[in-house]
Amino acid sequence: MGVWIFRALLVAGAAFMVYTWFQPWWSADIAVIKGENDMVLHPWGVEAVSQVRNNTDTAQFDMPFFFAPLMWVYLGVCMLLLAASLVINRRIKLGPISLPIAVILIAFVGLSYMAALGIAYGIGTLRSGWAGANFIGKSSILQAETGTKIKMVSDLQLGFWLSLGAGGFLTFLALIRGLFVRKPKQA
């Protein structure tokens, strides 16, 4: 019975990760553009409204051409690893410690997802600094063509925090797996 409870929790954790994948992690609102969320950061890159794309140097926020496909492959690999952890019962011996491979797979997915958030935050901070803006908070950006300063407000979105929670939940599941799935008895 414990195995099925754990499997249900793991499937819920995987679904939570997929849900957070499609949520915005960061957004910026530029004062001179009507509406909100003129720039939105997702795990696969930044989406910007046409006014931003047409009036700024997109190299300041666009990722290399291979980044988006790489991130989608990452999500697919994570889902495959979580699916594999549902059926793999083998263990790996690391010195005196014997760990289930499923624990390693689940922990890898959870920790790597949280690391992806940290990397996204670091890259966002670095790139916004190059553009003369703050990644979080209020900024005045100098538009090169006109020489005018444009006000921008940016902040982390709920999706960022939910993604952190999804990675933490998966890591927690890796740590408590032994409470639900017992080591097979040897004959």
Side-chain angles (χ1 to χ4, degrees):
M1 182 66 168
V3 172
W4 288 104
I5 292 171
F6 182 80
R7 287 178 177 170
L9 289 171
L10 187 61
V11 168
F16 187 37
M17 181 177 171
V18 170
Y19 170 76
T20 63
W21 185 264
F22 292 99
Q23 300 305 305
W25 286 2
W26 170 89
S27 72
D29 184 30
I30 300 170
V32 296
I33 300 174
K34 289 185 179 182
E36 294 181 356
N37 299 335
D38 302 314
M39 295 175 67
V40 177
L41 173 68
H42 289 282
W44 58 87
V46 175
E47 295 175 356
V49 295
S50 62
Q51 289 174 303
V52 172
R53 287 210 171 270
N54 295 335
N55 296 313
T56 60
D57 179 13
T58 58
Q60 293 177 347
F61 58 84
D62 275 341
M63 297 301 286
F65 72 94
F66 61 85
F67 184 77
L70 179 70
M71 291 306 291
W72 284 101
V73 167
Y74 165 76
L75 178 65
V77 168
C78 285
M79 293 301 113
L80 288 173
L81 292 177
L82 292 176
S85 73
L86 290 170
V87 295
I88 293 177
N89 290 324
R90 301 193 75 202
R91 299 175 79 78
I92 188 167
K93 194 160 175 87
L94 301 170
I97 299 171
S98 176
L99 284 173
I101 294 174
V103 167
I104 295 168
L105 297 177
I106 298 165
F108 172 78
V109 171
L111 292 171
S112 70
Y113 197 44
M114 289 189 293
L117 288 158
I119 292 168
Y121 186 87
I123 290 172
T125 302
L126 186 65
R127 285 193 159 200
S128 61
W130 290 343
N134 295 323
F135 186 61
I136 306 295
K138 296 179 181 180
S139 304
S140 291
I141 304 167
L142 182 65
Q143 188 180 25
E145 292 84 26
T146 63
T148 59
K149 286 195 171 189
I150 299 171
K151 291 183 182 181
M152 180 180 89
V153 178
S154 56
D155 59 352
L156 296 176
Q157 295 295 304
L158 180 61
F160 182 89
W161 303 109
L162 290 175
S163 297
L164 192 59
F169 180 71
L170 290 168
T171 304
F172 177 71
L173 285 179
L175 295 174
I176 66 166
R177 182 182 181 271
L179 299 174
F180 292 93
V181 181
R182 301 287 180 201
K183 186 176 178 180
K185 294 179 183 175
Q186 297 177 351

